[in-house]
Amino acid sequence: MSLAESWDRYAVGGTPRRTVNARGEVTWFNWTQYADHGPNEGLLGPVAGRRVLELGSGNGSNLAHLVTLGAIGVGVDVAPAREAVARERWGHLSGLELRTAEAAAFLTETADTFDVVLSVFGAVWFVDPATLLPLIRSRMAPGGILAFSHLPPGVRTPEPGKAGMRHDHTPDEWTVLLAAHGFSDASAVIVDPPEGKSVGTMLAHAAAV
Ligand SMILES: C[S@@+](CC[C@H](N)C(=O)[O-])C[C@H]1O[C@@H](n2cnc3c(N)ncnc32)[C@H](O)[C@@H]1O
């Protein structure tokens, strides 16, 4: 089965994002696997007027939120089913472009540059950083921000994102990897889980020089 088919299959089991969050907002940003939890888009700095690329954008809801704040958003996901769902829900937003493509292939082919690149449990987790980080770096504007999240190492999940297909790294490992690939001010932490839960979220960010 191809990567696209396998992620398409996984997409079918996905739960749609709620239409409003606990604060009654219709769009919002969430880096973690828990509803109404953790840091928001503030980590990215001001996004209005900035070109923002999301790698593995899924149902597009995080990116749609950034677009409502004035970002010019490009969402790339390898699964065609994801683009269809994202388009149905967020296709009305001008300033949001959705593409079905594998992240490394997209970065290799595009001539565009981006001020912000992000990935929420997305392609940065599933593509070898030795391949992906240089490609991301090559398409980022100077001073741009890269930020991404994923489950901490050692957490088991159902196919196809099971351990082994993922590039699980600790915060310390990510800061070393990011610096080694020419990013500056790399910082990574485990965001604590909400009360009653035991698994936190690995959240990293760095700047392109
Ligand atoms: C666990 S889901 C997360 C989706 C979304 N970011 C979210 O937070 O809901 C992982 C997503 O990454 C996409 N993906 C996985 N590997 C990819 C790759 N190499 N290139 C592009 N997208 C990829 C999958 O199709 C899927 O939509």
Side-chain angles (χ1 to χ4, degrees):
M1 197 188 312
S2 72
L3 187 68
E5 285 168 336
S6 126
W7 278 110
D8 243 358
R9 236 179 231 202
Y10 177 81
V12 171
T15 326
R17 200 188 236 205
R18 298 163 299 159
T19 49
V20 290
N21 67 6
R23 291 155 62 121
E25 297 157 332
V26 294
T27 68
W28 65 93
F29 197 99
N30 190 351
W31 293 103
T32 81
Q33 64 273 44
Y34 303 110
D36 307 304
H37 179 70
N40 64 13
E41 72 284 351
L43 189 66
L44 303 172
V47 294
R50 304 197 91 199
R51 292 157 298 166
V52 175
L53 171 66
E54 182 169 6
L55 298 172
S57 45
N59 61 26
S61 298
N62 279 321
L63 188 59
H65 177 63
L66 301 180
V67 168
T68 65
L69 299 177
I72 302 138
V74 178
V76 171
D77 199 290
V78 72
R82 294 288 191 174
E83 181 182 333
V85 167
R87 197 171 289 289
E88 191 177 325
R89 183 141 174 200
W90 304 114
H92 62 282
L93 291 178
S94 61
L96 176 62
E97 184 187 339
L98 297 162
R99 299 276 297 270
T100 295
E102 195 284 316
F106 172 83
L107 288 162
T108 302
E109 284 158 21
T110 186
D112 293 339
T113 55
F114 300 92
D115 303 305
V116 173
V117 178
L118 65 117
S119 183
V120 182
F121 292 69
V124 170
W125 199 18
F126 300 109
V127 181
D128 187 344
T131 301
L132 199 61
L133 291 181
L135 288 172
I136 292 174
R137 179 77 188 69
S138 71
R139 301 319 316 159
M140 283 182 73
I145 301 286
L146 166 65
F148 55 91
S149 60
H150 62 64
L151 291 178
V155 180
R156 296 178 69 85
T157 58
E159 298 267 359
K162 66 176 183 177
M165 286 183 64
R166 304 189 311 222
H167 293 272
D168 289 331
H169 290 292
T170 64
D172 284 352
E173 289 166 352
W174 273 121
T175 50
V176 170
L177 276 166
L178 287 162
H181 287 91
F183 290 89
S184 66
D185 302 327
S187 160
V189 294
I190 299 290
V191 177
D192 286 339
E195 215 178 314
K197 301 284 182 186
S198 58
V199 177
T201 309
M202 203 304 302
L203 176 60
H205 67 98
V209 190

